[in-house]
Amino acid sequence: MKKFVFGIILLVLVSFEVNAQEIAVLKYNGGGDWYANPTALPNLIKFCNTNLKTSLNEKPETVELGSTDIYQYPFIHMTGHGNVVFSEAEKENLRQYLLSGGFLHIDDNYGMDEFIRPLLKELFPEQILQEIPADHEIFRNQYKFPNGLPKIHEHDAQRPQALGIFENGRLLILYTVESDLGDGWESKEVHNDPEEIRLKALQMGANIIKYAFEK
């Protein structure tokens, strides 16, 4: 069970095992393609419902950063290739969502990094974006990744990194970079990835979903 805040005073108990839940894609401003990888989350949801016995709604929703609707979703996914802009009101809304129990996964689809890092610093100026160690539970709660985040797509020979913002020991924001998990979640015909690569991506995604709903 996990406590969630809707608006200012409404509290809702969220159950990972029992109740059907929704996850959402974050729509943001700035010109970046927030809608990239359209088959990724539906495929990840199917994988989780089959292999983790979750009850996620098969169609992910789209939520705007400044909307109070974000409080309906325990897990929000963000991706894209380009510029990202948050207004002050949007930053405050996202900050309160995260501190109230929400979870944001940002997956750099190559091209977001230079925009995301300054925004995260503005969002939580008192926190440090830190690398998550390979022994963290997110790498072993369901499927084992002893070396940490897997490399899914090779673009510039940089090692994959899972970076995080923590508050009182809880991971609020997971930022995956130099991995391209979302491309690995996409349908096979999109990138023609080998099945073992797609499976690694889906298994890592399942670990992220499991962590987000159980924390």
Side-chain angles (χ1 to χ4, degrees), residues 23-41:
I23 63 178
V25 176
L26 186 66
K27 180 180 180 180
Y28 54 86
N29 295 314
D33 52 343
W34 59 267
Y35 44 82
N37 297 346
T39 65
L41 278 187

Side-chain angles (χ1 to χ4, degrees), residues 40-67:
L41 278 187
N43 286 339
L44 179 59
I45 288 169
K46 290 178 185 176
F47 183 87
C48 290
N49 286 347
T50 298
N51 295 281
L52 300 186
K53 307 306 179 186
T54 53
S55 300
L56 299 170
N57 289 336
E58 293 185 2
K59 182 181 178 182
E61 298 296 324
T62 298
V63 64
E64 295 191 13
L65 184 56
S67 172

Side-chain angles (χ1 to χ4, degrees), residues 41 44 51 70 77 139 144 147 172 177 184-185 187 193-194:
L41 278 187
L44 179 59
N51 295 281
I70 65 173
H77 177 74
F139 298 120
K144 309 305 178 187
N147 297 317
L172 309 181
V177 62
W185 301 342
S187 297
D193 288 327

Side-chain angles (χ1 to χ4, degrees), residues 38-160:
T39 65
L41 278 187
N43 286 339
L44 179 59
I45 288 169
K46 290 178 185 176
F47 183 87
C48 290
N49 286 347
T50 298
N51 295 281
L52 300 186
K53 307 306 179 186
T54 53
S55 300
L56 299 170
N57 289 336
E58 293 185 2
K59 182 181 178 182
E61 298 296 324
T62 298
V63 64
E64 295 191 13
L65 184 56
S67 172
T68 56
D69 289 346
I70 65 173
Y71 292 94
Q72 298 179 37
Y73 308 105
F75 176 96
I76 294 177
H77 177 74
M78 178 180 179
T79 192
H81 296 84
N83 191 25
V84 180
V85 173
F86 293 173
S87 71
E88 290 302 317
E90 288 172 336
K91 281 186 283 189
E92 183 58 25
N93 194 44
L94 180 57
R95 180 182 170 89
Q96 292 306 316
Y97 160 79
L98 294 167
L99 292 175
S100 298
F103 184 90
L104 174 65
H105 173 218
I106 307 170
D107 186 46
D108 182 15
N109 210 354
Y110 286 88
M112 295 180 72
D113 190 63
E114 63 180 294
F115 307 106
I116 285 296
R117 289 179 187 261
L119 282 176
L120 294 181
K121 184 63 177 176
E122 293 169 9
L123 192 63
F124 287 99
E126 70 281 9
Q127 304 291 3
I128 298 173
L129 183 65
Q130 57 186 284
E131 185 159 11
I132 301 170
D135 61 355
H136 189 274
E137 63 183 290
I138 205 166
F139 298 120
R140 54 184 172 83
N141 60 11
Q142 182 71 29
Y143 300 102
K144 309 305 178 187
F145 291 90
N147 297 317
L149 187 69
K151 185 81 167 180
I152 303 304
H153 277 186
E154 188 71 62
H155 287 257
D156 50 18
Q158 299 296 313
R159 71 181 182 89

